Amino acid sequence: MTPVLLLAAEKESAQVTDWAARIGWVVGLALFVALVYWLMREGWKWRGTLQGDLPELPTTPDETGPKRLTMSGRYHGSTTAGQWLDRIVAHGLGTRSRAELTLTDAGLDVVRPGASDFFVPAARLREARLDKGIAGKVLTEGGLLVVTWEHGDRLIDSGFRSDHAAEHNEWVEAINSMIETNSREGAER
């Protein structure tokens, strides 16, 4: 019996953690994540370079007239009109942010804290509609206010979501009514 006791005493427990292998895996994973992030960032910059022909965004004129509607919410991005996945990133249009929208007789003023503000002149507005998605943001049917406008030689869809989604229908009606009025006045001239 003595040899059995000696065998039991000589046995050691298995090493629980191989620290060198674990540190190697963590460093490798961190480098992989950094590489993916860098590639995504370069892709975003490349997209901005490809869209470099887009003119500077208009700024709000000094005199805009009385406010028709105001809305507080989120700006979800802009895409090429009719192509809800073709995000436009030039001039900061790809940056999601909070937004304060103001509709006046002069046009649509978009104020974005922490991002570039822009103004859409009334003559450049083409359509407003309710939709469910734009460039990486999908909501319920009618959960997104999409405003189509002309900038340079492109039609752009910009997506907004109000803090109070019930306001969306009022915005669609007001913008489309404004577009109809402007086109009628333009035809009479």
Side-chain angles (χ1 to χ4, degrees):
M1 276 225 190
T2 315
V4 173
L5 289 174
L6 287 175
L7 286 175
E10 291 177 15
K11 247 187 174 178
E12 293 180 22
S13 36
Q15 190 174 7
V16 176
T17 305
D18 180 9
W19 285 105
R22 182 171 283 188
I23 290 171
W25 276 104
V26 169
V27 168
L29 183 61
L31 289 173
F32 177 73
V33 168
L35 174 67
V36 169
Y37 176 76
W38 180 77
L39 288 172
M40 288 171 54
R41 185 178 167 104
E42 290 301 306
W44 187 270
K45 284 196 237 175
W46 179 249
R47 181 175 279 275
T49 302
L50 291 176
Q51 297 166 349
D53 63 333
L54 197 66
E56 286 294 322
L57 296 173
T59 57
T60 307
D62 294 333
E63 189 58 42
T64 59
K67 295 178 182 179
R68 289 185 176 197
L69 288 173
T70 60
M71 178 173 82
S72 172
R74 293 203 62 77
Y75 168 77
H76 287 288
S78 292
T79 63
T80 302
Q83 299 176 14
W84 72 284
L85 290 175
D86 186 19
R87 183 187 296 267
I88 296 177
V89 301
H91 307 299
L93 286 176
T95 306
R96 288 189 177 151
S97 62
R98 292 284 305 157
E100 298 289 331
L101 273 65
T102 305
L103 183 64
T104 65
D105 292 334
L108 178 64
D109 187 23
V110 181
V111 177
R112 302 185 306 151
S116 303
D117 300 341
F118 62 96
F119 180 79
V120 180
R124 299 288 184 183
L125 290 170
R126 296 297 176 251
E127 176 191 22
R129 68 181 186 281
L130 297 180
D131 213 329
K132 64 180 178 179
I134 193 165
K137 183 65 174 179
V138 179
L139 301 162
T140 59
E141 189 66 44
L144 195 66
L145 170 66
V146 177
V147 177
T148 303
W149 53 290
E150 184 179 353
H151 185 57
D153 60 348
R154 287 191 196 185
L155 284 179
I156 297 174
D157 284 342
S158 293
F160 305 94
R161 176 147 176 93
S162 173
D163 290 336
H164 309 285
E167 296 176 334
H168 289 172
N169 287 324
E170 183 180 9
W171 274 80
V172 168
E173 290 171 12
I175 291 173
N176 287 334
S177 170
M178 195 163 124
I179 292 167
E180 287 175 23
T181 303
N182 287 345
S183 64
R184 240 190 333 247
E185 289 174 359
E188 291 174 0
R189 290 181 189 165

